[in-house]
Amino acid sequence: MEKGASRDCSKPLEGPAVQNALAERIKELNCLYGISNLFENQDVSLSWIMQRAVELIPAAWQYPENACARIKIEGKEYASGNFKETPYRQNAEIVLNDRHVGDVDVLVYELILKAAATDASVAVFGESGSGKELVAHAIHTHSDRKDKRFVAVNCGAIQESLFEREFFGHRKGAFSSAHSDSPGYLDMADGGTLFLDEVGELTPNMQAKLLRAIEGGGYRPVGGTETESGNFRIISASNSVLGDKVAGGHMRIDFFYRIQVLQIQLPPLRERKEDIPLLVEHFWGKMKAPSGITRISGRTMDILMEYDWPGNVRELRNVLQRYATLGRLEFLSPGAKASSAQVASGVNLREAVRELEKSLVKKAMDRAGGNKTEAAKLLGISRRALFRKMAMS
């Protein structure tokens, strides 16, 4: 609904996005109300309040069954009953009289942890850049194989003529430049995880050779005389439908079933924006900021949450890297000039969001070939709202 427009209050808000946002806000308010009620109890200890507060926090998240929480304060720790340590977290400091006295952590875990608990092959599907390798890393990190190597292979870069040498290794003297024994990917992943990125790029012949090794038939290094066996777990990833590969004769049916005992479908980032704060914290913690920026401000996070992320998690990481280096948000798209949203301390949030909106409107109009109706659909707004935004730009 547009600002300033009247609405029949007997009718529900329109659009699933609006309804979902309202539902999430209600959960947040219920959580805050529940915590405030704890302080109404008489003759109870702070520990009693803290333990019950930490049990209420996960309910405010979009997927409460996949979240847990922990409060650390003044040397004491309180955790929800389902607490499990994971690298996917949000942290907020508890500050009293300008002194850091504790932290609140909310951690997220889901099918990733269920997959990590088994040794079955896992296939991760999603758009390019949606974070499939991050998921594979998370499964490895939470599995019994975490102390061994995670070996990532770009299957699209493997030449069929070099497949056995790359995967199975070679022995000294196997060819003219083989001056010493060299391990293959299977050797390097022994005891750990072998991640096959874009697994659909392997040819049927390559699949047959790898399948034998996966199913315990062993493999023989190039120039070797003895059959080796490996103890590794397969996690594969693809941005294409593997069933179509089978139908087209580009993937063996036995290989198809063997590599995807478990499936994880990874939605694009635009459909799981609740993950953005977690991803931002994950990436930002690994980045050096020559720009002098030490943290992601609230106004910056608002802009990141508003953006549609056509390049998915990969684009988010790159935007954060530019932000750490340059001190400004810069969004790139193929065939277009970079659009920037200045987020320095003196810039008003509304101005920054307005600049971002102008950029998104232009992209939508370009993609829709100038058709305002189609552009409005792409932006998820009405034609009237689009006209208003265009008039303001």
Side-chain angles (χ1 to χ4, degrees):
M1 189 176 77
E2 297 180 31
K3 294 180 181 178
S6 61
R7 182 176 70 85
D8 182 354
C9 294
S10 65
K11 296 181 180 179
L13 289 170
E14 296 180 357
V18 175
Q19 294 175 12
N20 289 341
L22 180 59
E24 294 306 309
R25 184 58 177 154
I26 289 172
K27 288 199 295 186
E28 292 173 8
L29 293 173
N30 283 338
C31 176
L32 293 173
Y33 178 72
I35 292 175
S36 67
N37 279 346
L38 294 174
F39 291 90
E40 300 296 325
N41 290 276
Q42 301 294 322
D43 302 321
V44 296
S45 65
L46 179 61
S47 294
W48 184 91
I49 293 174
M50 289 293 99
Q51 185 58 50
R52 280 152 184 79
V54 82
E55 296 287 356
L56 290 172
I57 292 173
W61 281 64
Q62 183 168 8
Y63 302 107
E65 68 278 9
N66 297 328
C68 56
R70 175 179 59 195
I71 296 175
K72 293 181 179 179
I73 186 167
E74 299 289 10
K76 295 184 178 180
E77 182 174 313
Y78 308 90
S80 55
N82 62 343
F83 183 81
K84 187 175 182 70
E85 190 78 50
T86 84
Y88 302 98
R89 71 180 65 202
Q90 274 194 276
N91 170 270
E93 294 183 350
I94 301 174
V95 178
L96 180 63
N97 296 327
D98 297 324
R99 185 169 65 92
H100 178 201
V101 298
D103 294 89
V104 179
D105 292 311
V106 178
L107 301 95
V108 178
Y109 61 97
E110 46 186 322
L111 188 56
I112 290 172
L113 295 186
K114 294 179 181 178
T118 77
D119 215 28
S121 298
V122 180
V124 186
F125 298 95
E127 290 182 3
S128 178
S130 57
K132 297 185 288 296
E133 187 166 349
L134 280 176
V135 170
H137 263 292
I139 294 172
H140 173 77
T141 300
H142 290 90
S143 73
D144 293 338
R145 298 175 177 271
K146 62 185 178 183
D147 295 327
K148 298 296 183 178
R149 295 183 67 176
F150 176 91
V151 179
V153 181
N154 178 6
C155 295
I158 301 295
Q159 298 179 39
E160 185 161 3
S161 60
L162 298 177
F163 173 82
E164 291 180 83
R165 180 171 154 187
E166 296 280 351
F167 275 83
F168 305 154
H170 65 259
R171 294 288 180 253
K172 180 179 178 180
F175 42 88
S176 58
S177 59
H179 303 301
S180 62
D181 291 354
S182 178
Y185 293 132
L186 303 193
D187 300 308
M188 291 186 280
D190 190 38
T193 300
L194 181 64
F195 175 59
L196 302 176
D197 194 16
E198 295 310 327
V199 66
E201 297 299 315
L202 294 177
T203 66
N205 185 43
M206 295 156 75
Q207 295 165 25
K209 294 175 181 177
L210 184 56
L211 183 62
R212 176 176 173 80
I214 294 174
E215 295 193 326
Y219 58 93
R220 186 172 295 174
V222 176
T225 57
E226 296 183 359
T227 299
E228 306 285 342
S229 61
N231 171 24
F232 50 87
R233 185 203 194 156
I234 294 286
I235 301 179
S236 60
S238 177
N239 61 14
S240 60
V241 180
L242 296 185
D244 293 344
K245 294 276 187 180
V246 174
H250 301 296
M251 178 167 283
R252 295 171 56 98
I253 189 69
D254 48 1
F255 186 74
F256 171 83
Y257 284 116
R258 184 62 182 81
I259 63 171
Q260 49 182 331
V261 177
L262 300 176
Q263 291 186 356
I264 295 178
Q265 184 67 48
L266 196 58
L269 190 55
R270 61 183 174 275
E271 295 179 9
R272 51 186 177 102
K273 288 191 173 182
E274 68 278 0
D275 286 354
I276 289 176
L278 296 171
L279 291 166
V280 167
E281 190 159 335
H282 172 73
F283 290 135
W284 191 254
K286 297 184 176 183
M287 292 179 179
K288 295 181 180 179
S291 64
I293 298 174
T294 58
R295 59 183 292 272
I296 301 296
S297 66
R299 64 168 61 94
T300 303
M301 186 65 75
D302 286 339
I303 294 172
L304 296 175
M305 293 293 286
E306 286 287 331
Y307 187 59
D308 206 34
W309 301 110
N312 286 300
V313 176
R314 183 182 294 122
E315 183 183 11
L316 172 62
R317 182 179 56 207
N318 293 342
V319 167
L320 287 173
Q321 186 63 69
R322 287 193 293 274
Y323 180 52
T325 304
L326 304 175
R328 64 176 184 270
L329 290 181
E330 196 171 81
F331 301 88
L332 306 179
S333 61
K337 293 182 179 179
S339 60
S340 299
Q342 298 291 341
V343 289
S345 58
V347 178
N348 184 277
L349 172 62
R350 288 177 179 166
E351 294 176 2
V353 172
R354 190 177 299 119
E355 288 300 313
L356 181 58
E357 280 189 348
K358 286 168 58 177
S359 171
L360 293 176
V361 167
K362 183 179 184 305
K363 289 179 182 178
M365 287 294 291
D366 290 343
R367 192 178 302 179
N371 186 310
K372 294 183 176 61
T373 300
E374 289 301 316
K377 289 180 180 178
L378 288 171
L379 292 167
I381 60 177
S382 67
R383 276 173 52 89
R384 289 179 59 194
L386 176 62
F387 286 137
R388 188 180 69 248
K389 292 181 185 297
M390 292 178 69
M392 293 172 60
S393 61

